[in-house]
Amino acid sequence: MINTIIFDFGDIFINLDKPGIDKAFRELGLTEWHNDLNELNQLFEIGKISELEFIEGFQKHLPNASIEDIRKAWNKVLGDFPEYRLDFLQSLKGKYRLFLLSNTDKIHIDHFEHKVGMSFSRDFYNCFEKVYFSYEMGVRKPDVESFKQVINRHDLSPKRTLFVDDKKENTDAAASIGLEVWNLQVGKEDVTDLFAKKIINL
C-alpha cells in the first residue's frame, strides 16, 4: 500500500513551454543549442556554478545579449500552474507523505515564486513534508543518489513510495532502487488522473 508520493515539478504541476524558450533564444541570436549549454545547465542545476557564471556562459554565444535578456529568455520555459492541480495536491495532504523532487535552478524558482505570488507558492510548498531542488541538493535526477537522499533522510520504504515524473529516464532510475513509479505522459495524462488511472487505489 502506497503511503508516500514523491512528485516532480515541471510538466507535473507547472506547465513547461519548451517552444517558448527556443523562440526566445532564437530572437536573441542563438542559432543552435550547443553542447556546452547543456553542460552549463546541468552544472547550474546542481549548484556547481553561480547565476552569473551560468549567464556568462550564454553570453559567449550571445555577446550582444544582456544579463537581463538571458534571464528573461531562460524563464520563458515556465508556463502556467493550473489552480486545479494545487487543489488536487491539497486534497492529498494528510493522506500521504508528500515530497517534491525537482531538477531546477535558482533563476527558475525565483521566477516561479514571483510569477504566482507569495500566497500561491506558500500554499504549494506547504503541501509537502519537504521540498527538494537539485541546485540545493548538489545532485540531479536520474542520479539515484537524488532518490536515496530523500528515502534515507525521511526513512521511507521504497515499495510503499510512488515517484511521479514525466521523464522515463528518471522513473527508470527510481524503479531501479525499488520505488513504484508513474511515468506521466504529458499532453495525454494529468497528475489529477492519479486515482482514475489506478496508479493508486483509493
Side-chain angles (χ1 to χ4, degrees):
M1 180 74 76
I2 296 296
N3 64 6
T4 303
I5 311 174
I6 303 172
F7 290 102
D8 178 34
F9 185 25
D11 270 340
I12 301 299
F13 292 109
I14 190 170
N15 291 319
L16 299 183
D17 182 6
K18 292 166 187 174
I21 191 174
D22 289 341
K23 180 174 182 287
F25 276 109
R26 279 199 306 274
E27 289 174 351
L28 290 180
L30 191 69
T31 55
E32 63 176 308
W33 196 263
H34 303 271
N35 287 335
D36 66 312
L37 296 179
N38 287 328
E39 183 179 346
L40 204 66
N41 178 34
Q42 293 190 12
L43 288 172
F44 193 37
E45 280 192 345
I46 57 173
K48 296 298 185 188
I49 58 173
S50 68
E51 179 176 333
L52 184 58
E53 288 172 314
F54 173 72
I55 290 174
E56 286 176 342
F58 271 90
Q59 286 180 317
K60 290 177 183 177
H61 300 283
L62 299 167
N64 296 320
S66 69
I67 288 173
E68 192 55 33
D69 287 338
I70 291 170
R71 188 184 286 115
K72 283 182 178 177
W74 187 242
N75 282 328
K76 285 292 185 182
V77 75
L78 298 180
D80 66 314
F81 187 140
E83 193 161 349
Y84 72 85
R85 289 183 185 152
L86 177 60
D87 293 340
F88 175 72
L89 184 63
Q90 289 173 325
S91 76
L92 300 178
K93 188 178 178 182
K95 300 174 184 175
Y96 299 91
R97 298 181 70 182
L98 303 177
F99 297 89
L100 190 72
L101 178 60
S102 175
N103 287 350
T104 191
D105 59 70
K106 192 172 189 305
I107 294 177
H108 280 161
I109 293 306
D110 286 350
H111 182 70
F112 158 69
E113 292 173 356
H114 176 75
K115 184 176 181 179
V116 301
M118 186 183 299
S119 177
F120 189 98
S121 58
R122 183 179 60 240
D123 288 348
F124 176 59
Y125 293 147
N126 282 345
C127 291
F128 302 102
E129 192 170 320
K130 177 74 175 172
V131 170
Y132 286 96
F133 294 137
S134 60
Y135 76 93
E136 296 173 329
M137 299 172 73
V139 65
R140 67 193 295 278
K141 302 170 292 186
D143 189 332
V144 294
E145 180 59 31
S146 60
F147 305 107
K148 288 179 178 178
Q149 279 194 32
V150 181
I151 291 166
N152 294 336
R153 287 179 185 176
H154 301 280
D155 195 26
L156 305 181
S157 167
K159 66 182 180 182
R160 300 190 69 189
T161 301
L162 175 70
F163 173 61
V164 181
D165 197 294
D166 63 301
K167 290 186 172 62
K168 191 172 187 300
E169 62 181 2
N170 295 340
T171 53
D172 284 351
S176 75
I177 57 169
L179 277 74
E180 297 296 317
V181 299
W182 177 20
N183 176 214
L184 185 149
Q185 305 300 301
V186 179
K188 297 179 180 178
E189 300 173 318
D190 194 281
V191 69
T192 56
D193 296 331
L194 189 65
F195 299 107
K197 288 186 169 292
K198 307 295 184 184
I199 307 299
I200 293 182
N201 292 319
L202 286 167

